[in-house]
Amino acid sequence: MSDLPQLRLGVNIDHVATVRNARGGRHPDPVRAALAAIEAGADGITAHLREDRRHIRDDDMARLKAAISQPLNFEMAATPEMVEIALKTRPHACCLVPERREERTTEGGLDAAGQRAQLAPAVARLAEAGIRVSLFIAADPRQIEAAAALRAPVIEIHTGAWCDAAADGHAAEAAAEFARIRDAARLARRAGLEVHAGHGLDFGTAEAIAALPEVVELNIGHFLVGEAIFSGLGPAVRTMRAAMDKGRARA
Ligand code: PXP
């Protein structure tokens, strides 16, 4: 049995809002989903307020902050508009992500190395307000060095390429992507960064990545909301928690 602290599970409820917005109105309510996820063992709630408000909206963020007992992780682009909203909302954490209007989801990591000058003011203003800043980056040493230079205390490693390769049955590519994530997590810890991971995780990939002791938090959304259709959100979160604990025991 591992004596590491339990791996934290942040449940991303964006796609509950996607379903709500498909019809307009209030159902299903992402705040209700957040409360159900916490009841089932989520350690935090993640929500992404996109520039186009395609799923989470401004009042969802405010209602989430008011309603939940666990930390709120506010995902956002590092724009002046979003920084102002985050400063008003005062979440526990902000995860800065790249954003392109036409993308279906957050396709790649932030170019922290190429955009240091643009990111620095956002990181500094959020940190001054006591918000824990995380940068969503690829498993790339250049990006990790840039995150450390920007004095972001946390990185979230983009696991999308690994999860896609695993889901498509491309074993060699998946193994190479996993090794990249493992090496990046080690490098980031040596640089004093807290390491989170997310994007595209399911029960199997969450169990596998839970075995990396450097990783202390996973943020998982789309798969859990999809599973909730079949089992309900509470059971999906509990099964995810069990998969993560099983993987962690191997760390
Ligand atoms: N972490 C970050 C930074 C993300 O942008 C997303 C997607 O919004 C997730 C985690 C969750 O990814 P998924 O919905 O694929 O589980």
Side-chain angles (χ1 to χ4, degrees):
M1 221 12 218
S2 155
D3 55 7
L4 287 168
Q6 194 183 45
L7 180 58
R8 294 198 302 266
L9 170 60
V11 173
N12 180 317
I13 42 76
D14 291 349
H15 295 303
V16 177
T18 303
V19 175
R20 175 196 62 191
N21 297 354
R23 275 290 169 97
R26 295 181 189 190
H27 185 77
D29 182 4
V31 175
R32 181 175 164 199
L35 295 172
I38 290 169
E39 171 78 26
D43 302 294
I45 295 298
T46 294
H48 183 178
L49 186 65
R50 292 187 73 104
E51 189 193 9
D52 61 9
R53 311 305 201 261
R54 71 173 71 154
H55 37 58
I56 294 295
R57 296 178 179 149
D58 301 55
D59 74 309
D60 292 328
M61 239 356 147
R63 289 190 308 120
L64 281 166
K65 177 64 180 20
I68 66 174
S69 55
Q70 293 284 15
L72 174 63
N73 177 29
F74 185 144
E75 267 185 37
M76 55 184 249
T79 61
E81 182 203 13
M82 286 300 154
V83 170
E84 288 312 317
I85 296 171
L87 292 175
K88 242 186 348 188
T89 310
R90 304 221 156 240
H92 168 77
C94 278
C95 181
L96 302 182
V97 303
E99 211 176 281
R100 284 187 301 118
R101 232 171 231 266
E102 65 277 19
E103 70 188 353
R104 229 183 308 167
T105 180
T106 311
E107 280 163 5
L110 204 56
D111 182 12
Q115 297 184 336
R116 264 173 70 173
Q118 294 97 303
L119 290 169
V123 173
R125 284 197 72 202
L126 294 167
E128 274 161 25
I131 298 169
R132 208 156 161 76
V133 180
S134 151
L135 302 184
F136 187 46
I137 57 173
D140 172 349
R142 270 181 67 238
Q143 302 299 346
I144 291 164
E145 283 154 21
L150 278 160
R151 298 182 186 281
V154 183
I155 59 160
E156 181 165 326
I157 299 177
H158 197 310
T159 52
W162 168 52
C163 292
D164 285 348
D168 293 343
H170 299 147
E173 189 189 334
E177 288 294 342
F178 186 76
R180 225 190 308 277
I181 292 168
R182 181 201 59 211
D183 294 348
R186 288 180 184 161
L187 179 67
R189 274 310 297 145
R190 281 202 300 275
L193 296 161
E194 181 174 313
V195 182
H196 302 176
H199 209 280
L201 293 166
D202 61 14
F203 295 138
T205 44
E207 181 181 331
I209 202 168
L212 298 182
E214 295 82 7
V215 178
V216 299
E217 179 175 310
L218 301 181
N219 284 299
I220 309 178
H222 184 265
F223 176 78
L224 284 173
V225 173
E227 278 298 294
I229 292 169
F230 304 108
S231 67
L233 186 57
V237 169
R238 278 189 211 99
T239 305
M240 182 60 78
R241 175 85 270 159
M244 288 163 56
D245 291 347
K246 192 165 162 216
R248 201 58 160 181
R250 290 202 303 271

